[in-house]
Every structure is written in structure tokens, then in C-alpha cells.
Amino acid sequence: MKSRFVVEGLAGHKKLRGTIAVKGAKNAALKALAATVLFEDTVPFENLPDIEDVKRMQELLAGLLAPSEVEGPVLKKDIAERLRASIVLTGPTLARYGTVTFPFPGGCVLGERPIDLFLEGFRAMGATVKEQDDLFVISGSSTSLGAGKLRGAKIFFPSVSVTATETLMLAAVLADGQTMLQNAAMEPEIGALIEYLNLCGADIAGAGTPTITINGTGGTLLRAQGRAYITPPDRIETGSFVILAALAGDEVTITDCEPRHVDALLVLMRRAGVTVEVGNNFITIKQGPTLLKSVSVRTHEYPGFPTDLQAPMAVFLTQCQGEATILETIFDGRFRYADDLVRMGATITVMNPHKILIKGPTPLTRKELESPDLRGGLAYLIAATVAEGTSTIDNAYLIDRGYEHIEERLQKLGLNIQREEV
Ligand code: UD1
């Protein structure tokens, strides 16, 4: 059965009040789940978000547990094709079992999402890549190092990729010798993973910098020994709640978060005139005295403005006075939401596949919407909250992929949002 959200808009009034706690980060949890392949014993998890993508990753892992003797470990095609993060499993699986078979990974439709950086990295570590039908088969070298082993390598990424950094880092943990990843991603989820792996026997340096150095164990598996991986708070959820509170909040406190992970957003919020108070692990947004002012945005790898907050930010800008541009530097085709916001009353010009111009403020009105992707879906919830009248957002499952029981949590702030089976 499919479900959708029904949201009674506040017609621009700022009425939401209370506190909302941030859940564990999807993009951290998925990678830590993939990393469990490197372990000899069970990895306990804390603060794991109860979301669809986590369940899918657990299913993929369960399917890997008993690799077939003939084919070696294979990532289930139907799941991997829907989950971009599935590709991260290829690194530790190849490192442990000497081979891995997987389909081209799926996920949200965000323009081109190639996998060349992964394949080149595996090759640099001595593996061979074969394409059979629509599957990739990667095998470690069978030379003097022993069958199926990876060897450390110096890998320079021509462009920064979060999942390629994670995948090759995990592969390198069990390799022979040292691997150096240059122009690596610096996202805090990677730092959290490194910290945990190092506690369990890995030797990884350079977290939060563009150069990550891994001294491989030569095949010795990691051991959790009862230590739990504690999922860090989701910074995209944090940022989305900040934007929602700035547009529709009287006074809202976002708890259980890491404010410094959303600095790029908070700087722009303050510049736009939002009243932001920051504590150790909370952010309070209060209704400000002034009209919000437009601010232009350019997405960037961490610590820059996250592309995953780009759609919620566009909704924010429809309510600001003036003109602003959003320059999307990471993905093509990430403005699929623009047409729907225009239908709701926004003034948005798509200038090219990477740039839009938003003029505001424009009141938004109710519409029947369909979630375009996971992050876009939350942007639609925010737009529906700001709008006048009752909107519906189909494809609730796309929002459920990344946000845990979102309707129950927003109801507590005073929003009338319901889930309806259709
Ligand atoms: C991850 C996040 C996603 C976020 C994105 C950017 C996960 C599961 N997803 O996605 O939420 O939007 O980072 O912060 O963590 N690229 C190549 N070749 C490759 C791999 C990537 O050219 O082999 C390009 C992509 O097309 C894109 C850019 O690199 O233009 C960044 O992509 P990447 O960081 O890999 O994004 P994901 O890891 O897919």
C-alpha cells in the first residue's frame, strides 16, 4: 500500500512551537553498517535511525552473510539498484572475500551518478574489473600477495566523492600496505566512521582533512569487542528543521544535534535575518523582528553548503525579500522541484542545469504534490507547511527512506500533518 502526507498549511503564519530531536544520520549509519563486513565479531549500534534505507542495507548485509561458493558474495540486484549507498559495501566485501559482484547502484535520480572513481580505485589496489551482462565483477589480484588480496595504493580523486572516499577507505583497512586517499571527502560522517574503526583495530589518519592515510591490517579482521558505533546526528535533518523553523516557527528548539556541522547554513540564516541561538547540542530559532532577506547559495562539499539542503533552501528563499541564485555545483538535475514550487506560487527561473534564480517573497498555495526524491520530499513538506490550504504529498516512502516517523515528530510542534494510505 502506498501512503501520502496531508499537510494543513499555516498560510505564512509562524506558529510552530516546541522541541524536535534530531535522529541518527542516514549517511553515517549506512556506511557503518557496510563497515561491519570488516569485523570478526558483532558490531552493536546505537542511535540507528528507523528508516527505510537502513532496513534495505541490513537486507543487503544479510544476503552477503552466506556467500555462495561458486559466485562469491553478490549484492542483491533489486535492492542495490535502489540504494546508492549499496556501493559502499563493495569495498569491505572485496577486501574480505577477494571478490564482489554488484549491479550499477541506484538511489535518488540526481543527474549522472557514475562509479568511475570506485572502479579506478579498485584497479589501483590491484583488482580486476569485469562487466558481465549488467553486473560488475571485481576480483582482488592472485599474485604473490595471495589470492584475492588488495594492496595499498596512492589514489588521487579527480573530483571529491563521499561514497568513493568511504568505499576505498574501507577496502584499504584490510589491504596489504599503506593506502593514501588524496582529495578525499571531509564530511563528518567519514570522521565518525574513522574514529570507530580505529577503536576496533584499524589504523586510519587524516579524518576531516583531504588526505586520508590507511595502514592496512594485511587481512586481520577488526574486533568490536562489545563497543558500540554511536550514530552521529543527521546534519541534513538538523538543517531541514532549521529552515522549517525559520519559515514557520514561533520558537522551535532543535535538540540532539551538532550545530557546527550546519555552520554553512547557520551563517546564511543569520545573514537572511533569522534569529538563531546555538548551544552545545541544540539550536533555537525564534521569530525575528524583520522581514527575511534573500541570500544567494552555492553548494559545495563539506564544510560548504550541502547539496542535500539545496531544495529546502529554495523553499526558504521563496519567502525572502529580494532575488537570490542557487548554484548547484555537485549534481546536475537537482532542480526537479522547481516546477512544483512555481505551481504553488513561487517565482523561480531555471537559468541552466546548475543555476536557478528565485524572487520573493511570494505566498504559496496548496497543491497536490509528489515527492521528487528524498531531500526534495522534505522540501515539499516545508513548502506545504508555509502554504495556504491543505496540500498532499504522494510517494511518502521517499521521505520515509531518510526521515524517521516525520509526521509524528512534526505534529508535536503543532503542525497538522497526517499520513494517509491510498
Ligand atoms: C553522497 C550522499 C548524498 C549527497 C552527496 C553529496 C550518501 C549515501 N549519499 O552521495 O546524500 O548528496 O554525497 O554530498 O552518502 N562522481 C563521479 N564519479 C564517481 C562518483 C561520484 O563523477 O565515481 C561525482 C558525482 O556524479 C557527483 C559528485 O561526484 O557529481 C559527488 O558525488 P558523491 O559525493 O559520490 O555523492 P554520493 O556519494 O553519491
Side-chain angles (χ1 to χ4, degrees):
M1 186 141 42
K2 279 193 157 187
S3 58
R4 66 177 185 182
F5 292 117
V6 183
V7 180
E8 192 183 310
L10 302 176
H13 296 294
K14 299 189 171 178
K15 288 187 180 163
L16 303 184
R17 273 192 82 84
T19 62
I20 184 163
V22 173
K23 302 287 180 183
K26 168 179 92 74
N27 285 351
L30 294 176
K31 321 314 171 44
L33 283 167
T36 61
V37 172
L38 301 173
F39 283 71
E40 187 185 296
D41 54 356
T42 305
V43 178
F45 277 78
E46 283 179 24
N47 202 30
L48 199 60
D50 181 13
I51 53 176
E52 289 302 314
D53 275 14
V54 162
K55 289 180 196 148
R56 294 297 88 75
M57 188 57 123
Q58 287 168 328
E59 283 168 31
L60 275 178
L61 274 169
L64 273 182
L65 276 182
S68 122
E69 300 224 333
V70 189
E71 296 173 298
V74 179
L75 298 197
K76 276 190 196 155
K77 197 165 179 292
D78 54 327
I79 304 177
E81 279 175 345
R82 282 187 285 137
L83 184 66
R84 171 76 185 179
S86 64
I87 192 155
V88 180
L89 265 173
T90 62
T93 306
L94 174 63
R96 179 166 184 167
Y97 298 107
T99 174
V100 62
T101 302
F102 61 99
F104 197 87
C108 290
V109 186
L110 306 173
E112 289 265 310
R113 287 181 113 177
I115 60 165
D116 52 306
L117 298 175
F118 301 77
L119 302 183
E120 277 162 30
F122 288 142
R123 285 193 190 103
M125 298 178 85
T128 50
V129 178
K130 275 192 233 143
E131 268 190 77
Q132 277 173 9
D133 305 319
D134 46 2
L135 294 175
F136 292 91
V137 183
I138 320 261
S139 309
S141 67
S142 305
T143 56
S144 54
L145 298 171
K149 280 279 178 75
L150 296 177
R151 57 166 185 264
K154 203 168 178 176
I155 298 168
F156 187 97
F157 295 114
S159 59
V160 181
S161 161
V162 176
T163 39
T165 299
E166 293 161 331
T167 305
L168 294 168
M169 179 179 94
L170 293 176
V173 165
L174 300 186
D176 275 309
Q178 187 179 77
T179 298
M180 191 184 270
L181 304 177
Q182 291 175 305
N183 201 24
M186 299 191 282
E187 268 63 5
E189 295 78 24
I190 302 176
L193 186 56
I194 291 177
E195 200 180 305
Y196 181 73
L197 296 176
N198 281 346
L199 288 175
C200 302
D203 178 0
I204 309 173
T209 78
T211 305
I212 297 178
T213 309
I214 306 108
N215 288 311
T217 66
T220 309
L221 297 178
L222 305 184
R223 296 178 66 188
Q225 294 180 302
R227 260 182 306 255
Y229 168 82
I230 303 167
T231 316
D234 196 311
R235 63 197 163 85
I236 304 304
E237 194 174 275
T238 306
S240 305
F241 293 160
V242 165
I243 290 170
L244 175 73
L247 291 179
D250 175 21
E251 183 168 331
V252 172
T253 297
I254 298 144
T255 64
D256 300 47
C257 64
E258 191 71 74
R260 66 196 164 90
H261 289 169
V262 286
D263 273 342
L265 171 69
L266 296 183
V267 165
L268 292 184
M269 287 286 121
R270 289 196 171 106
R271 208 188 284 171
V274 177
T275 307
V276 182
E277 281 173 22
V278 169
N280 214 5
N281 63 350
F282 68 88
I283 301 169
T284 299
I285 306 291
K286 291 183 176 164
Q287 200 183 344
T290 47
L291 198 65
L292 299 172
K293 291 189 299 285
S294 282
V295 283
S296 285
V297 183
R298 180 193 169 99
T299 65
H300 196 277
E301 292 88 13
Y302 189 84
F305 190 94
T307 172
D308 287 348
L309 284 178
Q310 195 250 100
M313 191 65 183
V315 178
F316 176 80
L317 292 172
T318 67
Q319 303 306 300
C320 292
Q321 175 79 45
E323 273 186 25
T325 52
I326 296 184
L327 184 62
E328 169 58 57
T329 71
I330 315 278
F331 292 112
D332 294 326
R334 218 175 182 181
F335 295 129
R336 295 192 310 140
Y337 60 81
D339 285 349
D340 279 329
L341 293 185
V342 168
R343 282 203 297 129
M344 294 178 84
T347 307
I348 303 179
T349 314
V350 178
M351 304 177 74
N352 62 49
H354 287 277
K355 195 171 184 180
I356 56 173
L357 175 76
I358 302 180
K359 286 186 197 172
T362 47
L364 302 180
T365 50
R366 60 163 295 277
K367 279 286 169 290
E368 286 178 7
L369 303 162
E370 194 172 305
S371 185
D373 55 60
L374 189 157
R375 308 299 179 184
L378 203 75
Y380 282 19
L381 277 187
I382 300 174
T385 303
V386 170
E388 195 200 336
T390 300
S391 299
T392 54
I393 298 149
D394 280 4
N395 285 353
Y397 75 91
L398 276 175
I399 298 176
D400 296 335
R401 274 188 50 196
Y403 300 95
E404 180 178 328
H405 307 304
I406 191 72
E407 72 279 22
E408 291 167 21
R409 297 156 73 203
L410 295 180
Q411 281 161 4
K412 288 194 189 127
L413 294 178
L415 183 67
N416 185 353
I417 170 172
Q418 310 298 333
R419 181 186 294 265
E420 212 175 73
E421 304 300 334
V422 284

